[in-house]
Amino acid sequence: MTRRLALVLGLVGVAVTLATAVVLATAPGLIVSLDDAWNLEMVEWRNPALTGWALVMNVLGGGWVATILTPLLIALLAWIVRGWRGAVFALAAFAFSAGIVQLVKRALGRDRPQDLLIASDFGSFPSGHTSNAATLAVVLWFLFPSLWVAIGGALWAVAMGFSRTVLSVHWFSDTVGGALIGAGAALLLAAALWRWVRLPSMLEAGDGRSADPPR
């Protein structure tokens, strides 16, 4: 992926999420119908094993684990492998993504499903758990670019989004919006800091030619 493509995908992800928020606030008909149908389907799917798995995902993807422990561990790993700039990027990406999510949540103030299985904070759209998972996926891919990192990150984000609907703590569109805004915010920051983060480590490795050219 190039810096320009990261910028375009980031803008698209954030823009689609914000546009969805506007639709939900003004003409939610089609989206609400899809959300209701998906939520009813999740209620039918529930069983002790699936619910138990979703509850584990709830702990791993939220609270102090996702907002403090995970960013610090990723930043430490980035520092070891990529240097202090990689660590700064990782922490900034998590903070940037979470900030946008909270702004949209408070601006829209969407109600959560009534049959949710766990208590949660204010605002259903977008899903903070899913957003954080998508941000994690992009941060890891940017710092350690490989096909397997990309696949693993994508699967983690999808699993997190699905788990939120199993618990009926989010609507389906909340999880899609969360994934788009989480990945989009991280991609925008990656595009802004592309050479600042990547070039030093490449030069230290003696292969400055592998750095992406300016876009």
Side-chain angles (χ1 to χ4, degrees):
M1 180 181 290
T2 64
R3 180 181 182 182
R4 183 176 298 169
L5 181 57
L7 176 62
V8 170
L9 292 178
L11 288 172
V12 169
V14 173
V16 170
T17 304
L18 295 179
T20 303
V22 172
V23 172
L24 285 170
T26 58
L30 181 60
I31 295 177
V32 169
S33 296
L34 173 62
D35 283 341
D36 284 338
W38 183 270
N39 188 55
L40 289 174
E41 190 67 24
M42 290 299 98
V43 172
E44 293 294 325
W45 281 25
R46 280 181 193 159
N47 59 64
L50 187 60
T51 301
W53 166 79
L55 289 171
V56 172
M57 294 292 286
N58 176 63
V59 173
L60 295 177
W64 68 271
V65 174
T67 59
I68 299 175
L69 181 61
T70 298
L72 289 179
L73 289 176
I74 297 301
L76 178 60
L77 179 62
W79 195 318
I80 294 171
V81 179
R82 287 284 187 178
W84 67 271
R85 297 187 186 205
V88 170
F89 163 74
L91 293 175
F94 283 110
F96 184 41
S97 171
I100 297 177
V101 167
Q102 290 303 315
L103 285 174
V104 177
K105 276 178 176 286
R106 296 189 178 282
L108 183 60
R110 188 185 194 190
D111 291 332
R112 295 178 185 272
Q114 292 186 351
D115 51 353
L116 74 174
L117 297 185
I118 56 174
S120 198
D121 59 1
F122 174 80
S124 186
F125 183 93
S127 165
H129 279 64
T130 312
S131 172
N132 190 73
T135 300
L136 173 63
V138 172
V139 167
L140 287 176
W141 166 83
F142 182 66
L143 296 173
F144 314 104
S146 76
L147 177 61
W148 292 112
V149 170
I151 292 174
L155 290 176
W156 175 252
V158 170
M160 186 61 70
F162 180 70
S163 73
R164 305 309 284 163
T165 61
V166 169
L167 297 174
S168 291
V169 73
H170 277 292
W171 304 104
F172 176 76
S173 60
D174 298 341
T175 64
V176 175
L180 288 174
I181 206 165
L187 285 169
L188 286 177
L189 195 61
L193 302 179
W194 194 276
R195 290 177 63 82
W196 185 79
V197 174
R198 284 188 164 178
L199 187 57
S201 61
M202 292 176 177
L203 291 177
E204 289 170 5
D207 186 17
R209 294 175 302 172
S210 64
D212 292 306
R215 299 292 181 180

